[in-house]
């Protein structure tokens, strides 16, 4: 089934889901399908994730993270070079084009060392 394959592929690209809200980020899922998924599934525990080192990884590596397209990855690298290390979500939301509405979920995948 195409839907389950897309869900699994997105899950694998992230290393695991941290919230059922992420079903909205899986390409091609209708609101009805998402509603049904939410009736039958929930996230009981956070997965062990290999976090993205937001302050030391290259723009190319950043762009491989599902929530960061190339343009945003470039903005993150520019922000780092102009402002120093990204210390947390307060810094992320200052970056041009950052999906502020998803910042709490995205932050769970990042390492701010």
């Amino acid at each position: 089934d195409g839907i389950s394959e897309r869900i699994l592929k997105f899950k694998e690209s992230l290393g695991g889901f941290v919230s059922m809200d992420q079903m909205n980020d899986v390409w091609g899922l209708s609101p009805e399908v998402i509603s049904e998924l939410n009736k039958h599934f929930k996230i009981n525990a956070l997965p062990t994730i290999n976090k993205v080192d937001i302050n030391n990884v290259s723009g190319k590596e950043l762009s491989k993270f599902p929530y960061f397209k190339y343009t945003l990855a470039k903005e993150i690298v520019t922000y780092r070079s102009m402002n120093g290390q990204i210390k947390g979500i307060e810094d992320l939301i200052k970056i041009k084009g950052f999906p502020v509405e998803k910042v709490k979920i995205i932050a769970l995948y990042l390492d701010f060392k």
Side-chain angles (χ1 to χ4, degrees), residues 4 14 19-20 22 25 28 31-33 35 45 48 54 65 73 77 79 92 94 102 109:
S4 57
L14 292 167
S19 168
M20 285 302 289
Q22 292 176 287
D25 301 326
E32 297 79 22
V33 168
S35 177
T48 303
I54 192 78
F65 181 59
V77 171
Y79 183 91
L92 288 176
K94 296 176 190 172
K102 296 178 184 176
Y109 292 94

Side-chain angles (χ1 to χ4, degrees), residues 54-104:
I54 192 78
N55 287 302
N56 295 302
V57 74
S58 70
K60 185 176 181 183
E61 288 298 311
L62 280 174
S63 68
K64 292 178 182 175
F65 181 59
Y67 288 107
F68 297 163
K69 301 293 183 236
Y70 175 77
T71 308
L72 180 56
K74 200 168 138 183
E75 289 290 337
I76 291 169
V77 171
T78 300
Y79 183 91
R80 286 189 325 216
S81 65
M82 295 180 77
N83 301 287
Q85 286 203 330
I86 296 170
K87 294 171 186 70
I89 60 176
E90 308 79 28
D91 290 338
L92 288 176
I93 61 176
K94 296 176 190 172
I95 297 170
K96 180 183 169 193
F98 195 87
V100 177
E101 71 283 357
K102 296 178 184 176
V103 71
K104 288 183 179 173

Side-chain angles (χ1 to χ4, degrees), residues 4-54:
S4 57
E5 285 176 21
R6 285 195 301 269
I7 292 170
L8 289 173
K9 192 172 187 177
F10 190 67
K11 177 186 170 207
E12 287 171 18
S13 70
L14 292 167
F17 290 120
V18 297
S19 168
M20 285 302 289
D21 289 341
Q22 292 176 287
M23 293 303 113
N24 293 302
D25 301 326
V26 177
W27 179 83
L29 294 189
S30 69
E32 297 79 22
V33 168
I34 293 170
S35 177
E36 283 299 310
L37 287 170
N38 282 315
K39 287 179 189 174
H40 301 286
F41 299 99
K42 63 182 180 177
I43 307 294
N44 288 325
L46 293 182
T48 303
I49 298 168
N50 289 326
K51 294 189 176 195
V52 175
D53 184 352
I54 192 78

